[in-house]
Amino acid sequence: MSAAIALARANYDVTLLERADVIGEVGAGLQLSPNATRILNEWGVLARLGSAVSQPEALRIRRARDGEELMRMPLGPVAESRWGSPHLVVHRADLQRGLLEVAATHPTIRIETGVQVLGFAGSSSGVEVGARRHETPLRYDADVLIGADGVRSLLRDKLSRGSAERLVWSGRTAWRALVDAEKAPAMANWLETNLWLGTRCHLVHYPLRRGSLINVVAITQDGWRGNEADDFWSAPGKTEDVLARFSNWSPDAQALIAAAHSWKRWPLFDTAMLPQWSDGRVTLLGDSAHPMLPFMAQGTAQAMEDAAALGASLAGATSSEIKSRLAVYERERIPRTAAVQLASRRQGKIYHLSGIPALARDQVLRRMGPGRMMQQLDWIYGYRGPMGTASRNVAPARV
């Protein structure tokens, strides 16, 4: 959806092919860091989200066994002043609704649901896309094809002709739940993002939807892998299975986990960085280009940065310039996303330390304080990539 909006703003006619029959309410909470909200504000999405978003006052980092505070970094107005845009949290479905509403204001965006893309054939003048809706074959002709089809991207595999780096299970599993606020312990209702650090696991939680829900993510490093075919959000989990992995944690953390009615399991996959995303008039965006572990909470933000950069790169392009403009997009985005991927991997290792290394980590957090922590985030949150708008003196292209 971000790609569609960015490209429509760049004067493209966009056909968005969605495999699901209905764009429904799925998922849970998302953190929208300032590098994402800056783009959403430019597109007019933030204004449509209204009270659906919350602005945490702080990030509080806790020690798992007793909940002791290791460090508290201010967010709220402090973050907004430092990075020029707010740090927010939102339910994924609310963000999706805001994107859909803005997409609906662009007459050049058409969304087709129930369409499964099967393949493509490129030429010097365009791209032919083969697809189907249930059993009905479909064909689309376009100037550009953007693969924004996620971590298990069909287009990535076809673009690389099977030579792309394969996804590898990271050894970690994310367990996600939404907890009714009245059933959660009091500390979970504070308007803060909480990060608990433990041996081979960590916990993140924050309030959503005017404080009526608590979004909870428990990430474990254990032998459970699950089925690679499991739906992204829908593989069921059991509260007792999650509790067993956090049995030696603070009573507050255990109470929050126990309050969840149901859990969804998500095995976390990783891959080596792709050396290129494009071939001719076809390119990749978001998780299809750079699957990213969630330890920097940057998956959503990096996809939006991709979309803004793609729109800026293709704005005003003639048909003969599209291939070179996609090269500009790659040069802008590959180094940036590679750095965030590496930072996310490194952060995951730091979160799950045990023994003496964990004690050392905790001491470093206590001593560094919020100022140095914010300095370490400047390169991510303060990023201002290309967000140009298109010239209107060229005929619309098709994507």
Side-chain angles (χ1 to χ4, degrees):
M1 200 71 67
S2 294
I5 292 170
L7 289 162
R9 288 167 56 87
N11 204 35
Y12 282 80
D13 286 333
V14 182
T15 301
L16 194 157
L17 305 179
E18 165 59 50
R19 183 171 181 172
D21 289 319
V22 177
I23 300 178
E25 181 168 318
V26 295
L30 292 172
Q31 297 186 59
L32 296 175
S33 51
N35 51 316
T37 59
R38 184 176 297 113
I39 296 168
L40 291 172
N41 187 55
E42 175 80 7
W43 292 343
V45 176
L46 273 192
R48 292 180 177 271
L49 294 178
S51 61
V53 297
S54 300
Q55 188 173 22
E57 296 171 356
L59 166 66
R60 190 186 298 267
I61 303 178
R62 301 172 179 269
R63 186 169 62 188
R65 70 173 183 268
D66 56 9
E68 179 184 326
E69 180 181 308
L70 301 174
M71 199 267 290
R72 184 180 186 275
M73 186 184 80
L75 293 172
V78 174
E80 188 166 355
S81 175
R82 183 183 187 97
W83 293 305
S85 196
H87 188 292
L88 305 173
V89 293
V90 66
H91 193 290
R92 183 176 183 268
D94 295 329
L95 174 60
Q96 182 175 272
R97 172 186 51 78
L99 291 166
L100 278 167
E101 288 179 0
V102 169
T105 68
H106 290 276
T108 57
I109 296 178
R110 183 174 75 253
I111 301 172
E112 297 192 16
T113 58
V115 177
Q116 180 183 1
V117 173
L118 303 175
F120 62 88
S123 68
S124 60
S125 59
V127 185
E128 180 182 323
V129 182
R132 69 183 176 200
R133 179 180 284 113
H134 304 298
E135 300 304 319
T136 303
L138 301 170
R139 170 182 157 171
Y140 301 86
D141 294 301
D143 296 290
V144 189
L145 174 62
I146 313 300
D149 52 336
V151 68
R152 298 186 179 99
S153 171
L154 169 73
L155 264 66
R156 180 180 63 231
D157 292 343
K158 290 189 176 296
L159 196 62
S160 65
R161 298 172 180 85
S163 64
E165 295 288 342
R166 292 187 60 80
L167 289 172
V168 177
W169 183 51
S170 67
R172 297 173 175 87
T173 301
W175 306 72
R176 297 176 177 271
L178 292 171
V179 176
D180 290 337
E182 65 268 19
K183 296 180 180 179
M187 61 87 195
N189 284 281
W190 300 343
L191 189 55
E192 296 180 340
T193 296
N194 281 262
L195 167 63
W196 300 64
L197 303 180
T199 300
R200 296 173 62 83
C201 53
H202 72 275
L203 184 72
V204 177
H205 59 87
Y206 45 83
L208 290 175
R209 290 181 170 171
R210 300 183 182 181
S212 63
L213 293 173
I214 310 300
N215 184 70
V216 185
V217 184
I219 296 184
T220 61
Q221 184 176 335
D222 52 32
W224 184 86
R225 172 169 176 166
N227 183 352
E228 287 187 32
D230 283 342
D231 184 74
F232 185 81
W233 291 104
S234 299
K238 296 179 180 179
T239 299
E240 54 265 33
D241 291 338
V242 185
L243 275 173
R245 290 159 169 82
F246 293 81
S247 59
N248 61 345
W249 277 44
S250 158
D252 273 344
Q254 292 190 59
L256 178 60
I257 292 170
H261 176 69
S262 63
W263 292 82
K264 304 297 183 184
R265 302 180 303 187
W266 172 27
L268 300 178
F269 288 87
D270 198 5
T271 186
M273 287 157 284
L274 299 177
Q276 67 180 68
W277 299 350
S278 306
D279 185 358
R281 293 167 172 267
V282 185
T283 196
L284 301 172
L285 181 148
D287 281 348
S288 63
H290 45 76
M292 193 169 291
L293 294 172
F295 305 124
M296 297 295 291
Q298 280 295 299
T300 299
Q302 292 307 305
M304 290 178 178
E305 285 187 13
D306 288 350
L310 183 63
S313 298
L314 290 178
T318 64
S319 180
S320 63
E321 293 173 328
I322 285 177
K323 185 175 179 179
S324 63
R325 296 294 188 91
L326 292 180
V328 172
Y329 161 66
E330 281 194 352
R331 287 197 299 271
E332 168 73 24
R333 295 304 301 157
I334 288 180
R336 165 83 171 163
T337 56
V340 178
Q341 277 183 301
L342 288 173
S344 297
R345 289 180 193 146
R346 184 171 59 248
Q347 200 80 334
K349 293 177 181 178
I350 293 171
Y351 285 176
H352 289 190
L353 291 172
S354 60
I356 293 175
L359 292 173
R361 174 204 62 206
D362 294 351
Q363 284 291 93
V364 168
L365 284 170
R366 290 189 185 98
R367 291 174 180 172
M368 74 184 300
R372 286 180 58 195
M373 174 70 80
M374 296 179 90
Q375 286 178 3
Q376 291 188 6
L377 294 170
D378 282 344
W379 71 279
I380 295 181
Y381 292 176
Y383 177 76
R384 296 175 183 271
M387 291 166 56
T389 55
S391 167
R392 293 288 171 179
N393 61 1
V394 293
R398 300 156 297 149
V399 61

